[in-house]
């Protein structure tokens, strides 16, 4: 057996033992797909704020058969702090978990948003045949490279270079949609392209690191479903013309007060941070400075939180009191018994998108990006 086949088989075994891969069809896809072909090189942080290129051919192919995501393209990051990841080959166990959650059957037509290296598209082609696979990426060069790699394996799926949030109805409808980049709300084009009873899996992430995978089923007037257990995070879907934003400086005259929830970095508690992101203005960025942390929103609001021996002090500035919203949401989350992902769901209708707790109709709910009336077509 060739080296890559041994490595791919070992990877499949590892994913099976970890409970991230179960079905014979996807086990075969992982065993038969040479990941090194899709990741000829990757980029690692060099520890000095830059990136180091690792050439898979010269350094050995074993590292791309680990259950690890590998960055393959970097560029200006949305916080304006130098280069950040723009594309990757996602963690294989995350891919198989998403693919299996979609309950893909023979004959299903599948759309992938975020072609990247083409590795996941190769798994789909292995499972379904290339004729049933459509994959889109906003980076034309990635599409060109993926097309060549897939052709080496004899796969010629439909690969499209454009914004995956746009209408791809010419290629649909799709029985299944898998997005390997995150979205702040569900693009209506995805719902309209989803066949009756079709399934869609995506990382719903209103702010950075504030989200998780949600599995939605097409309904009469939209889609509905629940979050998957566990936690995953993807790089965001980039829109054309998006300009990286740098944080603003705090108004030094902003009054200081004691934080009602002490010092905490909300993004280290994913469910609460996700719920908080639903009540914060869009485009919140965050980071550390000195001993403290800051949050900064596109509407010019900013909060700084500085720890001390007796908790933390907060200064807030701008149209939205960011930390006050976070404190309120934290209280609500504690009041509801600190719910985990399994208690949260999402419903998209003609008029609204909302996240709900426990029960679509009776539970408390929070609004996501609104959808104008009648924008959702019948399946
Ligand atoms: C995590 S990578 C995808 C990994 C890929 N599925 C694989 O198997 O290698 C995310 C990809 O989403 C792409 N992306 C970002 N914004 C997009 C958009 N608006 N439309 C389509 N693709 C987008 C990025 O260029 C990147 O290649």
């Amino acid at each position: 057996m060739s080296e890559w086949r041994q490595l791919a088989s070992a990877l499949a075994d590892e994913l099976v033992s970890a409970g991230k891969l179960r079905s014979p069809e996807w086990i075969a896809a992982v065993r038969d797909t040479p990941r090194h072909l899709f990741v000829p090189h990757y980029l690692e942080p060099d520890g000095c704020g830059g990136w180091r290129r690792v050439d898979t051919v010269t350094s050995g192919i074993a590292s791309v058969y680990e259950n690890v995501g590998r960055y393959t393209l970097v560029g200006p990051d949305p916080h304006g702090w130098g280069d950040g990841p723009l594309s990757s080959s996602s963690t294989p166990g995350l891919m198989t978990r998403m693919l299996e959650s979609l309950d893909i059957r023979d004959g299903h037509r599948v759309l992938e948003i975020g072609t990247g290296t083409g590795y996941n598209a190769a798994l789909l082609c292995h499972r379904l045949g290339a004729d049933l696979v459509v994959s889109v990426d906003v980076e034309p060069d990635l599409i060109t490279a993926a097309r060549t790699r897939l052709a080496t394996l004899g796969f010629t799926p439909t690969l499209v270079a454009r914004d995956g949030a746009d209408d791809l109805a010419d290629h649909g409808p799709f029985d299944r949609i898998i997005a390997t980049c995150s979205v702040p709300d569900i693009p209506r084009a995805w719902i309209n392209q989803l066949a009756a009873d079709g399934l869609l899996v995506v990382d719903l992430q209103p702010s950075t690191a504030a989200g998780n995978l949600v599995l939605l089923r097409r309904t009469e007037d939209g889609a509905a479903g629940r979050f998957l257990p566990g936690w995953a995070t993807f790089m965001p879907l980039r829109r054309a013309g998006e300009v990286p934003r740098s944080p603003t400086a705090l108004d030094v005259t902003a009054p200081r007060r004691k934080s009602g929830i002490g010092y905490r970095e909300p993004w280290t508690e994913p469910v609460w941070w996700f719920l908080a992101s639903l009540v914060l203005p869009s485009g919140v960025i965050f980071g550390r400075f000195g001993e403290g942390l800051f949050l900064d929103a596109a509407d010019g609001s900013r909060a700084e939180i500085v720890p001390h021996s007796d908790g933390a002090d907060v200064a807030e500035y701008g149209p939205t009191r960011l930390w006050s919203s976070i404190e309120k949401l934290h209280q609500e989350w504690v009041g509801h018994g600190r719910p985990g992902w399994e208690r949260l769901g999402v419903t998209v209708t003609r008029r609204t998108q909302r996240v709900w707790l426990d029960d679509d109709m009776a539970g408390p709910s929070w609004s996501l990006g609104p959808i104008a009336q009648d924008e959702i077509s019948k399946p």
Side-chain angles (χ1 to χ4, degrees):
M1 204 194 274
S2 64
E3 183 191 9
W4 80 258
R5 278 204 170 271
Q6 284 178 26
L7 291 164
S9 285
L11 173 62
D13 292 346
E14 181 188 338
L15 300 184
V16 170
S17 312
K20 295 175 193 301
L21 177 61
R22 296 165 202 277
S23 49
E25 294 86 352
W26 291 115
I27 293 173
V30 173
R31 282 193 203 286
D32 292 346
T33 304
R35 192 175 183 223
H36 69 282
L37 192 75
F38 294 89
V39 194
H41 59 84
Y42 57 92
L43 298 145
E44 285 181 333
D46 66 4
C48 309
W51 295 88
R52 175 178 44 235
R53 185 183 153 113
V54 180
D55 196 318
T56 315
V57 179
T58 50
S59 68
I61 62 172
S63 62
V64 293
Y65 289 91
E66 291 166 6
N67 184 27
V68 174
R70 296 292 182 192
Y71 296 127
T72 50
L73 180 70
V74 296
D77 104 342
H79 297 191
W81 296 324
D83 284 348
L86 294 183
S87 189
S88 66
S89 173
S90 309
T91 309
L94 172 56
M95 290 291 81
T96 53
R97 198 156 71 80
M98 289 170 80
L99 291 168
E100 291 195 330
S101 77
L102 282 172
D103 187 24
I104 292 171
R105 308 279 176 92
D106 291 351
H108 276 166
R109 192 166 177 75
V110 179
L111 169 65
E112 178 191 35
I113 293 120
T115 311
T117 63
Y119 175 71
N120 191 50
L123 298 179
L124 282 164
C125 290
H126 186 285
R127 171 69 184 84
L128 292 166
D131 289 353
L132 294 172
V133 178
V134 178
S135 184
V136 56
D137 202 290
V138 73
E139 300 283 344
D141 291 351
L142 295 181
I143 288 289
T144 305
R147 182 172 284 126
T148 306
R149 294 166 187 159
L150 287 159
T152 309
L153 300 181
F155 295 141
T156 52
T158 303
L159 299 183
V160 187
R162 65 193 245 216
D163 186 339
D166 286 348
D167 206 335
L168 283 160
D170 291 355
H171 301 285
F174 301 101
D175 301 292
R176 301 290 186 260
I177 297 179
I178 177 169
T180 58
C181 45
S182 69
V183 287
D185 50 48
I186 310 295
R188 85 180 156 76
W190 295 0
I191 309 279
N192 285 337
Q193 287 157 197
L194 201 51
D197 218 32
L199 289 172
L200 150 66
V201 69
V202 62
D203 175 17
L204 182 62
Q205 206 178 114
S207 280
T208 308
N212 196 10
L213 299 176
V214 67
L215 181 67
L216 300 178
R217 187 178 288 279
R218 183 69 155 107
T219 58
E220 263 292 291
D221 64 349
R226 285 183 174 269
F227 286 87
L228 295 183
W231 186 70
T233 184
F234 277 91
M235 54 189 67
L237 177 134
R238 296 189 300 285
R239 305 308 309 260
E242 224 168 36
V243 196
R245 189 165 59 83
S246 302
T248 50
L250 187 79
D251 177 354
V252 288
T253 64
R256 295 194 171 257
R257 65 173 175 85
K258 199 165 176 205
S259 162
I261 51 174
Y263 180 82
R264 43 181 85 224
E265 297 184 343
W267 46 89
T268 59
E269 296 175 62
V271 176
W272 163 48
W273 174 233
F274 170 69
L275 293 175
S277 76
L278 300 173
V279 301
L280 294 176
S282 65
V284 171
I285 58 178
F286 56 76
R288 295 193 182 87
F289 71 96
E291 297 277 276
L293 63 100
F294 73 83
L295 293 129
D296 191 293
D299 68 358
S301 307
R302 183 172 166 103
E304 289 185 4
I305 301 89
V306 183
H308 51 68
S309 54
D310 188 26
D313 281 341
V314 181
E316 292 172 286
Y317 174 74
T320 315
R321 295 292 182 257
L322 298 175
W323 196 250
S324 304
S325 304
I326 284 180
E327 286 168 329
K328 185 165 168 292
L329 214 291
H330 186 260
Q331 258 178 6
E332 273 185 53
W333 179 65
V334 171
H336 290 303
R338 300 175 185 262
W341 293 110
E342 71 289 351
R343 287 179 59 192
L344 293 176
V346 172
T347 297
V348 181
T349 67
R350 283 200 174 76
R351 285 174 302 283
T352 59
Q353 297 198 25
R354 60 182 200 285
V355 173
W356 41 264
L357 180 66
D358 294 332
D359 186 307
D360 184 2
M361 302 311 236
S365 66
W366 298 265
S367 184
L368 268 169
I371 285 191
Q373 198 147 9
D374 294 333
E375 277 191 313
I376 302 259
S377 54
K378 293 269 176 230

